[in-house]
Amino acid sequence: FLKLSEGLSKTKEQITKQIDGLLSSHSTINEKFWEELEEILIMADVGFEPTMKLVNRLRERVRKSGSDDPEQFKTLMREELEDIFKMPPRIKAVNLPEVVLMVGVNGVGKTTTIAKLAYRAQVQGKKVLIAAGDTFRAAAIEQLQVWATRVGAGFYAKAPNSDPAAVAYEAVELAVKEGYDILFVDTAGRLQTKVDLMAELQKIRNVLGKKHEGAPHRTILTIDATTGQNALSQTKIFNEACKLDEIILTKLDGTAKGGIVVAVAMEFGIPISYIGLGEKMEDLRPFNGTDFASALLG
Ligand code: GDP
């Protein structure tokens, strides 16, 4: 498994180095210091609003500490980030099979993320089934099947253009009958109108719940860190379309804009459960706020 600091090297380049530069060029924390910090955070894609909120929180923390010595600043910022990332996982009672609904826009890495989650579950000794609920694209079904075979998971699909809710219903039926521990249900990633999206996801959720109590037990949104502020607007839309339990951010290895993680954590209060740091099935890491804050600040 990849080291967090290696996977985040591009973001570290952006944030850690810049903050180190900021700290070494100021002998005291003054207005100029805060302005430069704002600039660094915005450039790292923390986003305007979250940057303002974060800087205000940092100002408060610095004020409370009673010290305007830049040497102390990194520790204070690390503590502040840890606080921001501190979100208890939304744990629910699960009656097996655990049903996980995967949502997100095309191209964000949802298929790969399903494979990575399936791989993790397999390694833990679970019997895994993957259902191809994105029936809109034949290629999506095929690609998911390739991954299912590669990780050694079961796979359920119907013909392209079948009703995604029928796929979900039959997959959960199969999962119950054949004693699977966990079922991942893929969904289409077209961002149609919000009304359509909401209706389609609601229908899938309804049939899952009808067939198996409590299902879906988790609804996970995958977003692509390299898309920066788009990832935020996708989160907003999906969170309004269906209640999200977790967020997974992919492609953090490929971007200098890991600040988006801070923005997502500050804006939505939805736990970030994993981060994607590469294209292989091993390249998924449980998100740990303390480690992430340390990796960001060096
Ligand atoms: P989907 O359309 O959302 O299902 O996206 P895919 O799973 O097909 O992924 C799109 C592209 O992103 C593929 O080339 C993946 O290999 C790549 N990808 C997915 N996750 C990651 C990641 O964490 N890091 C990197 N570097 N690439 C990723």
Side-chain angles (χ1 to χ4, degrees), residues 129 156-158 165-175 183 207 211:
L129 182 65
Y156 186 78
K158 286 167 75 91
V167 175
Y169 186 88
E170 290 166 27
V172 80
E173 192 170 49
L174 179 72
L183 163 67
V207 301
K211 191 71 206 161

Side-chain angles (χ1 to χ4, degrees), residues 24-148:
S24 59
S25 64
H26 285 79
S27 54
T28 170
I29 298 179
N30 52 22
E31 274 313 307
K32 185 93 182 39
F33 175 95
W34 291 116
E35 274 169 31
E36 285 178 29
L37 179 65
E38 277 172 14
E39 221 165 279
I40 291 170
L41 294 172
I42 289 171
M43 291 308 290
D45 233 14
V46 175
F48 185 77
E49 292 278 331
T51 292
M52 295 304 141
K53 271 191 224 165
L54 176 57
V55 167
N56 280 339
R57 288 171 67 155
L58 289 168
R59 277 177 186 264
E60 185 60 16
R61 201 177 272 267
V62 166
R63 197 186 57 75
K64 276 196 190 138
S65 80
S67 159
D68 60 359
D69 180 356
E71 296 231 338
Q72 303 301 319
F73 182 75
K74 238 188 200 183
T75 307
L76 297 177
M77 182 157 175
R78 193 177 296 122
E79 286 168 4
E80 190 61 54
L81 288 176
E82 281 173 18
D83 271 4
I84 288 168
F85 293 142
K86 211 175 278 162
M87 267 175 278
R90 296 179 174 174
I91 296 170
K92 293 175 196 161
V94 170
N95 49 326
L96 296 182
E98 180 175 13
V99 178
V100 183
L101 188 64
M102 299 295 295
V103 302
V105 171
N106 287 336
V108 295
K110 182 155 52 75
T111 307
T112 314
T113 301
I114 293 171
K116 289 170 171 176
L117 289 170
Y119 172 71
R120 286 189 79 87
Q122 292 266 116
V123 169
Q124 289 164 3
K126 291 180 183 166
K127 190 176 171 190
V128 184
L129 182 65
I130 297 174
D134 179 359
T135 57
F136 190 67
R137 298 175 305 153
I141 301 175
E142 280 162 30
Q143 204 198 349
L144 197 59
Q145 181 161 27
V146 168
W147 271 115

